[in-house]
Amino acid sequence: MNERDALSKLEELHMGENEVNAVVISQELRRLELSNNSLSGHFRLPFHASMKLNYLDISKNIFEGHIPVEIGAYLPQLQFLYVSRNSFNGSIPSSIGDMKFLEELDLSNNSLTGVIPESLSLSCSFLKVLNLSNNSLEGQIFSANFKLTKLRYLRLDGNHFTGMIPNSLSNCSTLSTIDVSHNYLSGEIPGWMRNLSNLKEMIMANNHLEGPMPVEFCQLNMPGVLDLSMNSISGTLPSCFGLPWINHVHLSKNRLRGPIPDKLCKSSNLETMDLSNNHLTGNIPNCFGKLSSLSYLVLSYNNLEGEIPIQLCQLDKLSVIALSHNNLSGRIPHCLNVTPHEEIKGYVHEYDFRYDEGMDTSHISHISFLTEEPIQLTTKTISYSYKGRILTYLCGIDLFYNKMTGEISHEMKNFHEIIILNLSYNSLIGLIPSSFSNFKNIENLYLSYNNLSGCIPLQLVDLSFLASFNVSYNNLSGKPPPRTNQFASDFDENSYWGNPFLCGEPLPKKCSIIEVSSNSTEDGEDVGLIDVTSFYVTFTLSYITVLLSIAVVLFINPYRRGAWFYLVEKCINSCFYFVVGNLPKLFGCGNM
């Protein structure tokens, strides 16, 4: 058999992750994998129809132009089609409906326009995976003619779809993941979604959904992600809202009001709770201390009040506590424990996902968590969003703009891995603990707009990763830390402004001897020119010594003693006659 005959009988060809820029397709080929190469230009089909190809992967190339309109006619036996991450434009060919056996279709991350062809939702009845994410598709998601009842993974995020969530999806009893985020969908969230017993991910963030949270959601048994953030959902959270198996709850940037239901404490597997940017009131439930798996607690931008529950100290997996812009009061519990979330193993990017019958899909919730909704933390006075893999390394406490009181405890020993600590805009008093120098990984430290006093610990210069630092508008005294390491140039006078007793570089105010005399460490070491305690002790002893010396001289020398008493008597008489002579004039009686 010559090479030409051998090539014509080739059934599988794997050329992924190479630098191939052209390939000839055999008519007998059944599996062709060309992903992650340098293929470019227009995607051209072979000249012969009715090929036996059932697996085609051309993702991660540089193809452009339209997907061939006759693709379904040429590849009728195709079961798996992956075209993601190219530069295809134009509409989705209606001939895809001719692929009667199609099980997985991934057209994500292109520039496709138009609507989802009705032939696709009507004819591809074996379809299990449909990924059309990050295109420019529009119109309603599906028409009434819908027969994709075997769908398990549906990703339509990052498009321009409008209308309501179609009721036809209620027939997808095996649906595991639905992601319609970042579209223009409207209407209320349908209560029938509780009937999707296999659902693991429900992601509908950044739409125009409105109305109350369906009370039927209390019956959800999802073990993955519920993300309804960035909508207009209103009303209160149902008192029965407790999802026992849920891992991640994102309800931020809605119009929710009322208290946080205690029923949420029944979600023992909860890792992320983001209820920020709503109108929630009341206290943080004490029972949150029972959420042993909780890593990210984000309740910022609400109207919560009361103290931070001491029960949160029982959570040893917390990585982020974001409670900024509330009305929380009381002391900061010194026993809080924050450590970075361990890096998730076996990470799979959502666009590389290939469904395989019987595979373990327990990691799917983590995939969405790492790629979807960000978490906000306030640094300085601006809220920044953190998302993706960086969240596995983030560790911080954000109490910006509350009513916290008391001193900052020197016993915050559980913060040694902390990266962000923002305590600005509160009513904290006392000293800045020198133990802050143990936060070797800290990058952002904000203590501005409080009532802190004393000196800034010089040990802070050892924080080699410190990138942002602000202690402005307190009652701090002495000199700022020496201009060395990170403090050499990174932090200007804006970091110290509003402390009337601070002086020296980088502030324009120069230090006098008395001003710098108060700059001592908490351990009692002298760091100024004169120690304040020594100054007062020396002054008192000197004053007493002078008085005793005068008394001894007067006692020994009778002549000086007589002269002293004569001088004192003369001063008394002069004061007496002055008062007697001028007192009537003060009361207007001088001419009587």
Side-chain angles (χ1 to χ4, degrees):
M1 182 183 295
N2 57 36
E3 294 182 2
R4 188 182 187 89
D5 292 336
L7 187 61
S8 66
K9 296 183 180 296
L10 187 68
E11 293 186 1
E12 292 194 17
L13 180 59
H14 300 265
M15 303 182 69
E17 299 186 8
N18 287 287
E19 295 183 358
V20 177
N21 55 27
V23 66
V24 178
I25 301 178
S26 165
Q27 186 173 357
E28 298 295 323
L29 200 63
R30 295 182 182 274
R31 184 183 181 96
L32 178 60
E33 186 170 346
L34 300 172
S35 63
N36 201 13
N37 279 291
S38 301
L39 296 169
S40 59
H42 293 270
F43 178 62
R44 302 186 185 279
L45 291 172
F47 294 107
H48 42 81
S50 302
M51 291 188 63
K52 298 179 181 179
L53 198 69
N54 59 29
Y55 185 104
L56 176 60
D57 187 355
I58 59 170
S59 58
K60 298 181 183 177
N61 281 290
I62 323 172
F63 285 119
E64 58 186 6
H66 291 55
I67 298 175
V69 294
E70 67 275 21
I71 187 171
Y74 275 90
L75 305 173
Q77 300 186 41
L78 207 62
Q79 293 176 269
F80 305 91
L81 177 59
Y82 306 112
V83 189
S84 65
R85 296 194 180 189
N86 281 282
S87 299
F88 286 114
N89 54 39
S91 59
I92 300 174
S94 60
S95 66
I96 285 183
D98 296 331
M99 301 175 182
K100 307 295 185 181
F101 306 103
L102 195 63
E103 295 184 17
E104 298 187 19
L105 176 61
D106 188 351
L107 306 179
S108 62
N109 289 276
N110 283 285
S111 300
L112 300 174
T113 57
V115 300
I116 300 177
E118 186 171 356
S119 61
L120 172 61
S121 59
L122 186 62
S123 301
C124 300
S125 57
F126 290 98
L127 200 62
K128 297 177 182 178
V129 175
L130 178 59
N131 190 349
L132 305 178
S133 301
N134 298 311
N135 283 286
S136 297
L137 301 171
E138 57 188 10
Q140 294 191 349
I141 292 178
F142 294 119
S143 65
N145 296 322
F146 179 86
K147 293 186 178 180
L148 305 182
T149 56
K150 297 184 184 298
L151 271 180
R152 300 194 180 189
Y153 297 91
L154 176 62
R155 313 196 80 100
L156 305 176
D157 52 294
N159 283 285
H160 305 306
F161 290 117
T162 56
M164 302 176 67
I165 298 171
N167 290 330
S168 54
L169 288 176
S170 62
N171 298 321
C172 300
S173 58
T174 59
L175 193 62
S176 174
T177 294
I178 175 172
D179 187 349
V180 293
S181 61
H182 299 271
N183 280 287
Y184 300 96
L185 300 177
S186 57
E188 295 188 0
I189 303 171
W192 53 256
M193 300 194 78
R194 79 180 191 280
N195 297 325
L196 302 177
S197 57
N198 290 298
L199 201 61
K200 293 182 175 66
E201 287 186 313
M202 184 191 302
I203 305 172
M204 301 180 178
N206 203 351
N207 279 286
H208 301 305
L209 300 174
E210 55 188 9
M213 178 80 72
V215 69
E216 292 89 346
F217 275 24
C218 294
Q219 303 173 30
L220 283 173
N221 289 314
M222 290 179 16
V225 179
L226 175 64
D227 187 352
L228 304 176
S229 56
M230 291 184 283
N231 281 287
S232 298
I233 300 171
S234 57
T236 60
L237 285 171
S239 59
C240 60
F241 189 69
L243 309 177
W245 307 109
I246 199 76
N247 297 123
H248 307 286
V249 173
H250 292 273
L251 300 177
S252 64
K253 295 184 179 178
N254 279 288
R255 299 176 182 175
L256 296 170
R257 54 182 173 80
I260 301 173
D262 289 341
K263 195 74 172 180
L264 263 177
C265 301
K266 300 294 184 180
S267 305
S268 56
N269 293 322
L270 197 61
E271 296 178 31
T272 305
M273 183 192 300
D274 188 352
L275 307 179
S276 61
N277 289 272
N278 281 287
H279 307 291
L280 299 175
T281 56
N283 299 334
I284 300 174
N286 294 336
C287 61
F288 275 10
K290 299 178 181 179
L291 301 175
S292 57
S293 299
L294 194 64
S295 294
Y296 302 91
L297 177 60
V298 186
L299 303 175
S300 303
Y301 290 90
N302 280 290
N303 298 311
L304 299 173
E305 55 188 10
E307 297 185 358
I308 299 175
I310 195 71
Q311 289 83 353
L312 294 184
C313 295
Q314 302 171 22
L315 305 179
D316 56 3
K317 294 183 180 179
L318 273 178
S319 294
V320 171
I321 305 174
L323 307 176
S324 68
H325 291 87
N326 280 288
N327 296 311
L328 298 172
S329 57
R331 292 176 174 268
I332 303 172
H334 70 273
C335 54
L336 289 176
N337 185 17
V338 287
T339 53
H341 193 281
E342 64 178 357
E343 185 175 357
I344 296 173
K345 307 298 182 183
Y347 174 83
V348 182
H349 195 283
E350 60 172 326
Y351 300 117
D352 295 333
F353 176 72
R354 301 287 186 268
Y355 174 77
D356 186 16
E357 194 75 37
M359 72 178 293
D360 178 16
T361 58
S362 60
H363 64 287
I364 296 299
S365 62
H366 295 305
I367 295 174
S368 284
F369 173 61
L370 289 176
T371 57
E372 294 297 334
E373 181 63 14
I375 284 179
Q376 285 190 337
L377 287 176
T378 306
T379 56
K380 297 184 179 179
T381 58
I382 304 174
S383 292
Y384 291 97
S385 296
Y386 299 86
K387 64 178 180 178
R389 294 182 69 87
I390 193 172
L391 277 175
T392 61
Y393 306 104
L394 191 62
C395 175
I397 293 181
D398 180 9
L399 299 178
F400 178 86
Y401 211 92
N402 276 284
K403 299 177 180 178
M404 307 305 299
T405 56
E407 298 184 355
I408 303 174
S409 175
H410 292 261
E411 300 179 11
M412 288 184 172
K413 55 188 177 182
N414 297 325
F415 294 177
H416 60 281
E417 304 252 1
I418 199 166
I419 294 176
I420 297 175
L421 180 59
N422 193 345
L423 306 181
S424 295
Y425 284 85
N426 281 283
S427 300
L428 300 172
I429 60 173
L431 305 175
I432 299 175
S434 59
S435 57
F436 277 10
S437 60
N438 296 325
F439 303 163
K440 299 301 182 182
N441 295 324
I442 196 165
E443 297 178 8
N444 303 277
L445 177 58
Y446 306 107
L447 305 172
S448 60
Y449 289 91
N450 280 287
N451 296 311
L452 299 173
S453 57
C455 302
I456 303 173
L458 303 186
Q459 297 94 325
L460 296 184
V461 299
D462 297 328
L463 300 177
S464 56
F465 292 107
L466 194 62
S468 298
F469 175 72
N470 199 314
V471 292
S472 59
Y473 294 96
N474 281 283
N475 295 312
L476 300 171
S477 57
K479 299 178 68 175
R483 305 289 285 171
T484 183
N485 297 338
Q486 298 293 90
F487 286 81
S489 59
D490 289 351
F491 313 129
D492 57 18
E493 61 186 60
N494 293 323
S495 298
Y496 307 100
W497 207 253
N499 289 281
F501 303 112
L502 273 182
C503 59
E505 293 186 2
L507 293 166
K509 181 180 179 182
K510 304 300 182 182
C511 291
S512 65
I513 293 179
I514 299 299
E515 286 172 327
V516 299
S517 67
S518 62
N519 194 12
S520 60
T521 65
E522 296 167 22
D523 297 327
E525 298 177 358
D526 294 338
V527 294
L529 297 179
I530 301 177
D531 185 85
V532 174
T533 303
S534 301
F535 174 79
Y536 285 123
V537 170
T538 304
F539 180 80
T540 303
L541 290 175
S542 301
Y543 187 77
I544 293 174
T545 301
V546 170
L547 292 178
L548 289 176
S549 299
I550 293 174
V552 169
V553 170
L554 294 178
F555 178 77
I556 295 175
N557 193 324
Y559 175 76
R560 293 185 179 276
R561 185 168 62 250
W564 170 262
F565 287 126
Y566 173 76
L567 180 61
V568 171
E569 182 180 7
K570 185 176 181 180
C571 289
I572 292 174
N573 289 335
S574 298
C575 291
F576 174 77
Y577 289 120
F578 176 81
V579 171
V580 171
N582 291 280
L583 190 61
K585 297 180 181 180
L586 295 175
F587 291 95
C589 304
N591 299 321
M592 293 180 60

